[in-house]
Amino acid sequence: MKDALRYGIVGTGMMGVEHIHNLKILEGAQVVAIADPEPTSLGWAKDALGAEAEGVAEYADSASMIANAGLDAVVVVSPNFTHRAVLEPLLDSDVAILCEKPLCTTMEDARWVVERAEARKGVFWTGMEYRFMPPAKAFIDEIHGGKVGHLQMLSIREHRFPFLVKVRDWNRFSANTGGTMVEKCCHFFDLMRLITRSEPVRVYCSGAMDVNHVDERYDGRQPDIIDNSFTTVDFADGTRALLDLCMFAEGAEHQEEMSATGDKGRLDVLIPPGDLVWSPRVPWPGPKAVERWHVAVDEAAMDAGSHHGATFYQHEAFARAVRGEGEVQVTARDGLMAVAIGAAAELSAREKRVVEMAELLGA
C-alpha cells in the first residue's frame, strides 16, 4: 500500500462525519486531525473514528490545524458562511484542499477563493458529490457519448425532505447559506454545466418558502429559505435546463430524477433506484422501444454516507489528484459558477424577473 495521505477535517457536523466514514474505507487515507469549535461536533467525529480516534489531534480552527498537524489534505466541511475564514490560512499553504459546496455564500467571497486557489501550487477541489454518484456519472457519460444525439433539453427534479437541523440552526437563514438555490441547488447547477458543456446566459426562478419552517422562530426571526421552486437556465449553446425542487416531498419514490432529451431520444436516471431508462425516438405511433438497466454501487460506499456512494468515489478521485495521478475534476472556478447560477436564481425569485448572468459575472 502507498504511504497513507494524512487528512484533516474542518467541521465535524453531519457531513463532516460522512467524510470521516468514507475516508475510513479509502485505501491509503488516514484522518489525523479534526477541527471544530463545538465540543458536541468533535464528539460526533470521535464516535465516527471509533478506535482510530486515539491519537487524532483536535483543534479549534483551521489555522492551528494547518500550523501543527503535518497534513497532506484538508476537507473543509464547516458551515457555508465560514468557508472564506476557514480557507484563508489553508490557502497560504500548499496542502491539498477539498472544500464542500457551496464554495462560498457570496460572489465576492467566491471570487476571492478562485483568485487565491488559482495562484497556489496545491490542489484545490470543490466538493460536488453528485457528479460522482455512479448512476449520475453513467447518465453523464452516455450523454457525452452521443446517446441522445444533440442535447436540447435537460430536466432535473429533486423532491426530498426538508433541511435537517444543524448546529445553532445556521441553515435556516439565507444570510448563512447563500439561500436554498445556492446551498442546496449548486449541485444541480454544477451538473447542468457539466452535462451541457456550455455556460449559462440567463436564469429565471419562481420559488418561495410555502410549507417548511413557517412556524419556526429563532430569536424572533422567521427563516427565509426557499422550499420549492422551478428554475430555468438558458445556456450559450441553446440548451435549456430546468430544475424542479420540492423540499416537502419526502414521500416521493425517487429523490432525484434527471432527463436529457436530444434529437435521437430521451435518457432518464432515477435515484435511489440507480436505474437508467432509454427511450429512443420511434415513428408515431410506435411501438416504443424503451430499455432499462441498473448501475451498481459498491455496498461499502453506499453504507458510508447518504449520497448514493458519491462521497467515496469523489474521495477516490481527489486522492488521485493529491498524489499527482489524476486531474482536479471540480475546480474552484466550477464552484464559483455553481454559486453564480444559484445567486442568480435567488435574485430572480426575490425580484420575480429574468436575471442575465452578466449581472453577476460581468460582460
Side-chain angles (χ1 to χ4, degrees), residues 41-62:
S41 298
L42 288 172
W44 293 336
K46 287 186 280 190
D47 288 344
L49 287 162
E52 297 173 26
E54 188 175 348
V56 173
E58 297 178 29
Y59 299 94
D61 53 47
S62 60

Side-chain angles (χ1 to χ4, degrees), residues 20 33 113-115 134 146 156 254 290 315 325 337 355 362:
I20 289 170
V113 172
V114 169
E115 183 179 339
I156 300 176
H254 305 145
V290 176
H315 270 297
E325 298 168 356
M337 289 303 300
V355 174

